[in-house]
Amino acid sequence: MMLVLGVDAGGTSSRAVLSTTDGTVVGRGTAGPGNPTAVGGPAAIRSIGTAISAALGNHDPATVLGGVVGLAGAAALTDPAGFGSALGLTCPIDVVGDAVTAFAAGAAAPSGAVLIAGTGAVAARIENWRIGRTADGLGWLLGDEGSGMWLGLQAVRAAARSFTSGGALVTRIAAHTGARSCDELVLWATRQPPKAFAELAPLVCTSDDPVATRITTEAASRLVATLGELGAPDGPVVLAGSLLTSPTPVRDGVLDRLSPAPTSTSRDPAAGAAWLALRRTLDLDAGSAAHLHRTLLG
Amino acid sequence: MMLVLGVDAGGTSSRAVLSTTDGTVVGRGTAGPGNPTAVGGPAAIRSIGTAISAALGNHDPATVLGGVVGLAGAAALTDPAGFGSALGLTCPIDVVGDAVTAFAAGAAAPSGAVLIAGTGAVAARIENWRIGRTADGLGWLLGDEGSGMWLGLQAVRAAARSFTSGGALVTRIAAHTGARSCDELVLWATRQPPKAFAELAPLVCTSDDPVATRITTEAASRLVATLGELGAPDGPVVLAGSLLTSPTPVRDGVLDRLSPAPTSTSRDPAAGAAWLALRRTLDLDAGSAAHLHRTLLG
């Protein structure tokens, strides 16, 4: 039995999928953050290696024909070519941008576009499984508009602006932050790392306060504008990231604004990476590649 | 000859004005930052003391009947009642919010509203020379909408978003920051203290790039909205802060949106403080107070 590995290495966790050549998942592993920009190259390689070891279990590493690792900040790796050997593998390991694995986890096509909204937000054209032009992805201070961090920051701004007049959103934010006054909320905000604002996103997405609705509507509008900066995509549009793959008002708003454009939802990016590894390793025709895509990600 | 002192203590500098009881300025002094929140109480007192000493020159401190110090962050002073003695003065020294001196520098009325846009932005109702309800002033992260920091941050955001397509504003921001790419601009932005963004405000205000115009228009609109949160003022509206007292497109935009509301422009806040000191020290009737206001600030 010959195998391939797919890895999705993110700022929160690294996940590995081990698949047979007929698309059957035979192992999964999870470990800590694997984004070299966030945690540094050596720590990222350790996390990714831990996730791969867990996915391999008792399988012989020599039976792994190839692997694909999708990660943000691939440019921060000092030796991408030596990535596989650093992980104890002898097979070829390709490193691709996480937008590529997110796209592959939603569509079997070689080209199109992916709109990602999780902690951050970015849109990318995908051209033959490579990242082309991108939009936003500028970080919480300058952009990531419509992302979890953006939603949380807008909610805290709105709450600070109307702290005394109150409302459902203010009550929730006061409870989350422990702030009893506008001044305490301002102080809380200045002491948070930017990612802490993303923790408020679920609270905004599940509130029916009109202010929360205004914020999620604006998030959807900005995400669609970000995607629009890329021009007409040359293939399907894949929605990825927690805000666009789970049933949130942001996802609903994006779908409303994009329809009737053909879109699909990114499923498991690690499985998307495993599918890319199958494609690259097995020299598949289009029909077989689509069949394996349905098997792994359908 | 009996004298009064007025001080405007800000985050950038402290300025003192020494006036005779007939409203003639006989001394001025300037020193470093005098905002206790920004630099700490002891450093603020040192700066304010230096400015006062320079204004006093060879005048006998015993001839000073009273003084008013306007500063932001008065709440951070551990001993406001001991403020005067800490400065080596035996006369009564009143500490008031900087919004009060800014208001007094534009109007002789006891009540009204002041809209301040400099490095930060805040609006305050003034009620019998005390600060009533305020709006915004929430700091660069959550608010200060329409301020110098806000203008600079919006300009960097816009430049990052359209770095490759260029334009006059992008060119100016690239020259100011030294960034040769969008990535370098993002990196520059994350390494700046928030106040560094305010240094970009003049560049935004003097650019006729349509993006710059959109940003200054939005700044004016947000400042007017901030003022609007206070409700109808019970007296004149005074415009204060560098963006609203010099000929900027932000000031023009605010005046367009407020007109035909009666507004006046805050002039020298240290002289406004000196006028408040005259009022409090001399027990003036309204006519004499108005006459001294014209003499000091007309």
Side-chain angles (χ1 to χ4, degrees), chain B residues 7-167:
Chain B
V7 177
D8 170 49
T12 308
S13 66
S14 303
R15 295 181 321 103
V17 161
L18 186 71
S19 166
T20 64
T21 48
D22 64 1
T24 305
V25 174
V26 293
R28 290 186 182 272
T30 304
N35 179 331
T37 310
V39 297
I45 286 176
R46 272 196 303 278
S47 290
I48 295 167
T50 302
I52 287 177
S53 294
L56 276 172
N58 294 326
H59 293 278
D60 178 1
T63 61
V64 180
L65 298 175
V68 167
V69 177
L71 49 74
L77 288 174
T78 47
D79 180 21
F83 200 68
S85 57
L87 297 169
L89 296 166
T90 52
C91 64
I93 298 283
D94 291 329
V95 178
V96 300
D98 59 346
V100 174
T101 42
F103 178 77
S111 300
V114 60
L115 176 63
I116 309 177
T119 304
V122 68
R125 283 183 77 102
I126 304 296
E127 292 161 2
N128 202 24
W129 291 295
R130 303 216 161 268
I131 295 178
R133 190 173 162 195
T134 65
D136 202 350
L138 298 172
W140 72 276
L141 180 61
L142 299 185
D144 282 4
E145 297 184 0
S147 70
M149 290 190 291
W150 185 93
L151 283 174
L153 195 52
Q154 300 304 316
V156 174
R157 282 178 184 161
R161 199 92 187 193
S162 62
F163 202 92
T164 46
S165 45

Side-chain angles (χ1 to χ4, degrees), chain B:
Chain B
M1 186 172 68
M2 303 310 277
L3 304 165
V4 295
L5 270 167
V7 177
D8 170 49
T12 308
S13 66
S14 303
R15 295 181 321 103
V17 161
L18 186 71
S19 166
T20 64
T21 48
D22 64 1
T24 305
V25 174
V26 293
R28 290 186 182 272
T30 304
N35 179 331
T37 310
V39 297
I45 286 176
R46 272 196 303 278
S47 290
I48 295 167
T50 302
I52 287 177
S53 294
L56 276 172
N58 294 326
H59 293 278
D60 178 1
T63 61
V64 180
L65 298 175
V68 167
V69 177
L71 49 74
L77 288 174
T78 47
D79 180 21
F83 200 68
S85 57
L87 297 169
L89 296 166
T90 52
C91 64
I93 298 283
D94 291 329
V95 178
V96 300
D98 59 346
V100 174
T101 42
F103 178 77
S111 300
V114 60
L115 176 63
I116 309 177
T119 304
V122 68
R125 283 183 77 102
I126 304 296
E127 292 161 2
N128 202 24
W129 291 295
R130 303 216 161 268
I131 295 178
R133 190 173 162 195
T134 65
D136 202 350
L138 298 172
W140 72 276
L141 180 61
L142 299 185
D144 282 4
E145 297 184 0
S147 70
M149 290 190 291
W150 185 93
L151 283 174
L153 195 52
Q154 300 304 316
V156 174
R157 282 178 184 161
R161 199 92 187 193
S162 62
F163 202 92
T164 46
S165 45
L169 186 65
V170 170
T171 305
R172 280 183 166 210
I173 286 180
H176 180 93
T177 61
R180 290 159 302 177
S181 68
C182 178
D183 283 351
E184 285 187 10
L185 184 61
V186 172
L187 201 63
W188 177 88
T190 55
R191 289 177 177 170
Q192 299 309 303
K195 286 196 177 172
F197 289 97
E199 293 168 18
L200 293 166
L203 186 154
V204 181
C205 286
T206 57
S207 170
D208 52 9
D209 185 294
V211 177
T213 305
R214 181 177 57 71
I215 293 171
T216 54
T217 303
E218 177 73 16
S221 164
R222 293 197 179 210
L223 287 166
V224 170
T226 295
L227 183 65
E229 285 182 32
L230 302 180
D234 187 23
V237 171
V238 172
L239 304 183
S242 55
L243 283 168
L244 297 181
T245 56
S246 44
T248 69
V250 179
R251 175 179 159 88
D252 294 344
V254 166
L255 287 174
D256 282 352
R257 284 166 179 76
L258 284 182
S259 65
T263 60
S264 69
T265 300
S266 185
R267 295 170 194 94
D268 177 359
W275 177 75
L276 286 172
L278 285 172
R279 256 203 76 259
R280 292 181 179 198
T281 306
L282 301 181
D283 191 24
L284 303 169
D285 61 39
S288 309
H291 175 75
L292 281 173
H293 196 271
R294 284 190 298 274
T295 308
L296 263 170
L297 290 145

